[in-house]
Amino acid sequence: MTAVAQRAAELRRLLEDANHRYHVLDDPAIPDAEYDALLRELQALEEAHPALRTPDSPTQRVGAGVLPGFEQVVHEAPMLSLNNAFSDEEVGEFVGRIERELGVSEPEFSVEPKLDGLAISLRYEHGVFVRGATRGDGATGEDVTQNLRTVKAIPLHLRGATPAVLEVRGEVYMPRAGFEAYNARMRASGGKVLANPRNGAAGSLRQLDPKLAAARPLSFYAYGLGVTEGWAVPPRHSAMLQALKALGFPVSPEVSVARGLRGLLDYFAAIGARRDALPYDIDGVVYKLDRQDQQAAMGFVSRAPRWAIAHKFPAQEQLTTVEAIEVQVGRTGALTPVARLAPVQVAGVTVTNATLHNADQIARLDVRVGDTVIVRRAGDVIPEVVRVVEERRPRDARGEPLNPAYEFPAACPACGSHTEAVRKVLKQTKAGGIEYAEGAAIVCTGGLFCPAQRKQAVIHFASRKAMDIEGLGERFIEDLVDFGYVRTVADLYALTLDDFLAMKRRADERDGTVPETVKAGKVATKWAENLVEAIAASKATTLERLLFALGIRDVGESTARVLARWFGALDPVMDAGEAALLEVPDVGPVVAARIAGFFAEPHNREVIAALRAAGVHWPEGPPQRAAEGPLAGQTVVLTGALSALTRDEAGVRLQALGAKVAGSVSKKTSFLVAGEAAGSKLDKARELGVEVWDEARLLAFLAGNEAV
């Protein structure tokens, strides 16, 4: 056997294996782009060497064999595939051939998106749906009538005057929103997620139990006809689609008519620009001669019509290999694994990195360095690894993997602090348990020390509700960190006027700008003097502000206030274990673990010590347990504008007297404090019969009880 014949045999084997895995096993091993490349190579070999063409070659068939378990359906009119075009030049050849053979100039085409789903045939007799089948191998398909009955977009009865027999061809697909919702349910329940909407649609119709198919969110668009009896087929394809729509079939709203090559390419560009905004996946557009008589004149080749073609987009999925797995630390401390890939073209862009999302996703996919993977890129979305091709994993003589399973780092790669798994809390059950969202984020606990989190930590620390360093915004903080003036929040208190002026000069040099004051021979310093003064002023703070400013995960203003009152001083908070923290009102097991973990990290304690050494101070006193105040056990809501104090200040003073300050009115609300322009909360309080206080009554109450 010659080398050419060997290659043709190998290509046939690879393509048949891919067909079997995709159509029968619903477990594709290669992306569409590689399949198309293999098929085109085989077509080229068979055209150059016709003797190599065999009746069972993948180039001579349309789909795949019938899945055992379904009855066979012989199509009265074959369900053919379309030839593909991958470039404007190939589309030009297609149009040019039609123009030459028909003797026409700029013929009209019916144009529509090429849906990424499963082709089916629907048979209606006297307006009633009687049978549905897959394309199968083009001549024989699978009877999936009962599964198709579960697809609500497919009409069971036609509208208006109905023909004796009508066979409609179209595509069953899974909308993106439905696909995402289905996968979310599967992840939450530990079920198998779908690789992509296309596989979801194909696999759903091949479920032997129609109840399983009904559980998947499928839809349908009609795009053509098979056999008909007793129906006058409209003379144009576009008119035929509108006639089908009148009978009750959904037709893509993107269907249009275009004239000549320029019209086809303009449509292709317009759909491509909107591709990511469409509610379903497409992999190209389809061009069909609009006039039925012209279609008949062009005829067919063995496996495809000569009057239609699919113009494919650049592949959104490709094969490549994982060269390394690195972990990046974000501004909030979350660790995100990234796969470093052998460069590959995906959707027209060279991709070298792809997100692996989190440790759970790595474990779910079992991604290892050295693996062959399918990487996907859709629009501007960050490329992601969607599947490992385990058949290509390197193995030794005994079949054992040569590349070990990946182990997520136990320490932060940026600062060495220990990491912890953080799961989003969905709700706390009545029995005291906690329900978490699926998937854990691995986060660094060295919040005040970690260099990856510096900017975010300093921005939060300086914010109005934290240390309230007026004028120190994100732009200044980013420059202070970038130029090395600030490594932790404690470094803010060592900054001098000269530091700020030097930082500004370096920033102007970097940005290529020169302030007007410098051009005039003067140096503006007032802004820097104000910043130095604002930083110095922030040294005098409160314990609750400091606790909030530290940026402990899940510790907001309210929790910081409760902690400050409950313990009275910082050291007891730092030394409290989870058990002691659980005694604090409104502190549950998740928050208790966050607080204890933060103060257990030596780096965080070092920064707090540096803050104290820099002169940051706050009043401390005996613990104030909420149960001891005159408002103990009462829930208060504040709304509207207060004139004598802010709502935040009023809330702090009410909490100091034992109240719980809530954000919404309910039957459990003890009273509502209504300031000027109070809105829906006041209406709700009146509706529920909740007592309403004005600002004068609030001030009188605070004055009388705080003096006690």
Side-chain angles (χ1 to χ4, degrees):
M1 181 182 292
T2 65
V4 173
Q6 288 178 339
R7 179 57 179 166
E10 173 69 6
L11 288 170
R12 284 194 291 270
R13 185 189 67 78
L14 291 172
L15 289 165
E16 285 295 336
D17 179 68
N19 271 330
H20 178 73
R21 293 185 65 90
Y22 179 85
H23 292 285
V24 178
L25 302 182
D26 192 23
D27 184 28
I30 62 175
D32 287 350
E34 182 164 339
Y35 182 93
D36 290 336
L38 295 173
L39 183 61
R40 287 163 71 86
E41 183 182 352
L42 182 58
Q43 287 172 329
L45 286 179
E46 291 180 350
E47 289 174 5
H49 306 277
L52 295 177
R53 186 178 292 120
T54 62
D56 63 346
S57 172
T59 64
Q60 305 304 301
R61 57 185 291 169
V62 178
V66 177
L67 183 71
F70 290 106
E71 292 187 7
Q72 297 184 8
V73 174
V74 177
H75 299 300
E76 292 184 47
M79 290 187 68
L80 302 180
S81 286
L82 297 176
N83 286 324
N84 293 324
F86 294 90
S87 66
D88 293 356
E89 290 75 20
E90 289 179 315
V91 177
E93 293 172 4
F94 164 73
V95 175
R97 182 169 61 249
I98 289 173
E99 291 180 332
R100 290 191 302 272
E101 295 191 20
L102 297 181
V104 298
S105 176
E106 295 191 329
E108 288 187 318
F109 294 85
S110 178
V111 292
E112 62 191 273
K114 185 177 182 298
L115 293 167
D116 216 358
L118 184 72
I120 61 164
S121 173
L122 307 173
R123 183 180 176 89
Y124 292 80
E125 296 179 359
H126 302 290
V128 178
F129 175 54
V130 296
R131 189 179 67 201
T134 64
R135 173 186 283 142
D137 63 4
T140 303
E142 304 152 355
D143 188 333
V144 290
T145 304
Q146 296 307 313
N147 286 345
L148 288 172
R149 288 183 185 276
T150 70
V151 180
K152 294 181 180 179
I154 295 176
L156 299 181
H157 299 274
L158 301 185
R159 296 172 178 268
T162 56
V165 175
L166 180 68
E167 185 187 341
V168 176
R169 273 84 186 270
E171 197 90 359
V172 168
Y173 66 95
M174 184 175 289
R176 288 174 177 168
F179 167 77
E180 296 294 344
Y182 178 86
N183 273 356
R185 292 197 301 271
M186 290 301 99
R187 292 190 185 100
S189 63
K192 181 181 179 181
V193 298
L194 302 172
N196 52 51
R198 176 197 60 210
N199 293 342
S204 298
L205 291 186
R206 290 189 171 88
Q207 298 292 329
L208 294 176
D209 183 355
K211 292 181 181 178
L212 298 177
R216 295 187 177 182
L218 301 178
S219 195
F220 169 78
Y221 277 144
Y223 58 61
L225 287 178
V227 297
T228 64
E229 294 179 18
W231 196 54
V233 178
R236 287 181 175 268
H237 187 85
S238 55
M240 179 267 291
L241 291 178
Q242 293 308 308
L244 290 180
K245 188 174 182 180
L247 289 172
F249 293 97
V251 174
S252 171
E254 308 301 330
V255 170
S256 185
V257 175
R259 179 182 293 276
L261 176 60
R262 185 70 268 157
L264 298 187
L265 298 182
D266 287 347
Y267 180 82
F268 181 81
I271 290 293
R274 297 176 47 227
R275 180 183 185 185
D276 297 318
L278 295 175
Y280 43 76
D281 278 359
I282 63 173
D283 58 1
V285 298
V286 175
Y287 311 135
K288 302 173 183 176
L289 270 173
D290 196 37
R291 285 174 46 178
Q292 302 282 7
D293 60 335
Q294 291 180 341
Q295 291 184 9
M298 288 301 297
F300 301 83
V301 292
S302 60
R303 66 183 297 272
R306 299 178 70 239
W307 43 265
I309 199 167
H311 190 178
K312 302 289 284 289
F313 290 126
Q316 290 187 300
E317 291 185 353
Q318 283 286 16
L319 282 177
T320 186
T321 56
V322 178
E323 297 182 338
I325 297 177
E326 299 177 1
V327 174
Q328 298 176 341
V329 186
R331 288 167 64 115
T332 62
L335 276 62
T336 302
V338 176
R340 305 300 183 193
L341 308 171
V344 62
Q345 283 281 322
V346 186
V349 175
T350 300
V351 172
T352 57
N353 303 314
T355 181
L356 291 168
H357 295 292
N358 52 41
D360 285 351
Q361 181 74 347
I362 290 181
R364 186 181 298 117
L365 295 174
D366 189 22
V367 181
R368 309 182 183 192
V369 175
D371 275 348
T372 298
V373 297
I374 295 176
V375 62
R376 177 177 176 82
R377 177 183 179 271
D380 295 328
V381 177
I382 298 172
E384 64 175 341
V385 173
V386 296
R387 187 177 182 276
V388 173
V389 184
E390 291 194 24
E391 301 82 46
R392 301 194 184 187
R393 177 169 286 163
R395 299 180 184 275
D396 60 21
R398 296 175 299 174
E400 296 297 323
L402 292 173
N403 48 346
Y406 178 78
E407 294 186 8
F408 210 83
C412 172
C415 70
S417 300
H418 77 276
T419 60
E420 63 179 5
V422 175
R423 293 183 183 272
K424 182 180 179 181
V425 177
L426 293 178
K427 65 179 181 179
Q428 190 161 345
T429 65
K430 293 181 179 179
I434 299 173
E435 291 186 11
Y436 295 96
E438 188 274 337
I442 306 299
V443 299
C444 167
T445 59
L448 294 179
F449 175 81
C450 181
Q453 301 176 67
R454 280 177 188 157
K455 291 180 182 178
Q456 189 63 34
V458 178
I459 289 169
H460 175 75
F461 185 85
S463 63
R464 183 177 64 85
K465 293 183 178 180
M467 300 300 285
D468 193 20
I469 304 179
E470 187 176 354
L472 189 61
E474 286 191 33
R475 182 172 60 85
F476 283 137
I477 290 171
E478 289 179 355
D479 287 342
L480 287 169
V481 173
D482 288 343
F483 294 130
Y485 291 97
V486 171
R487 290 177 173 80
T488 76
V489 294
D491 292 337
L492 290 172
Y493 295 97
L495 293 172
T496 65
L497 179 65
D498 289 340
D499 290 331
F500 278 112
L501 295 177
M503 175 206 73
K504 188 66 169 62
R505 283 194 298 271
R506 294 174 68 178
D508 289 338
E509 291 171 1
R510 176 198 60 200
D511 300 336
T513 59
V514 179
E516 292 298 322
T517 51
V518 172
K519 291 180 182 178
K522 302 176 183 178
V523 178
T525 62
K526 185 61 178 176
W527 64 272
E529 294 169 358
N530 290 340
L531 282 174
V532 172
E533 291 175 2
I535 292 172
S538 73
K539 291 181 180 181
T541 187
T542 64
L543 179 56
E544 64 192 52
R545 278 184 174 273
L546 177 72
L547 287 169
F548 177 62
L550 295 178
I552 306 169
R553 191 176 296 272
D554 293 332
V555 174
E557 297 171 75
S558 177
T559 303
R561 292 187 192 112
V562 172
L563 288 170
R565 290 197 310 273
W566 188 266
F567 290 100
L570 179 60
D571 288 340
V573 181
M574 295 173 63
D575 297 336
E578 291 186 39
L581 290 165
L582 283 171
E583 296 178 7
V584 181
D586 298 327
V587 173
V590 174
V591 176
R594 300 275 195 275
I595 298 168
F598 180 89
F599 289 116
E601 176 56 55
H603 293 315
N604 291 332
R605 286 181 171 259
E606 291 170 6
V607 175
I608 292 170
L611 287 171
R612 279 173 156 160
V616 178
H617 59 280
W618 53 90
E620 295 186 339
Q624 297 178 25
R625 308 302 188 192
E628 300 169 0
L631 294 178
Q634 297 194 45
T635 300
V636 181
V637 175
L638 295 144
T639 188
L642 303 177
S643 58
L645 69 171
T646 67
R647 288 216 306 263
D648 284 344
E649 291 168 341
V652 170
R653 293 169 69 175
L654 287 167
Q655 287 173 327
L657 297 175
K660 176 182 178 180
V661 177
S664 59
V665 177
S666 71
K667 292 181 179 179
K668 296 181 180 180
T669 304
S670 303
F671 61 89
L672 171 81
V673 177
E676 292 294 327
S680 59
K681 292 179 183 178
L682 177 57
D683 295 336
K684 185 67 177 290
R686 287 170 174 165
E687 178 186 332
L688 295 175
V690 172
E691 185 178 2
V692 178
W693 290 15
D694 60 15
E695 184 175 1
R697 181 173 178 182
L698 171 67
L699 294 174
F701 177 84
L702 293 176
N705 285 276
E706 290 174 339
V708 175

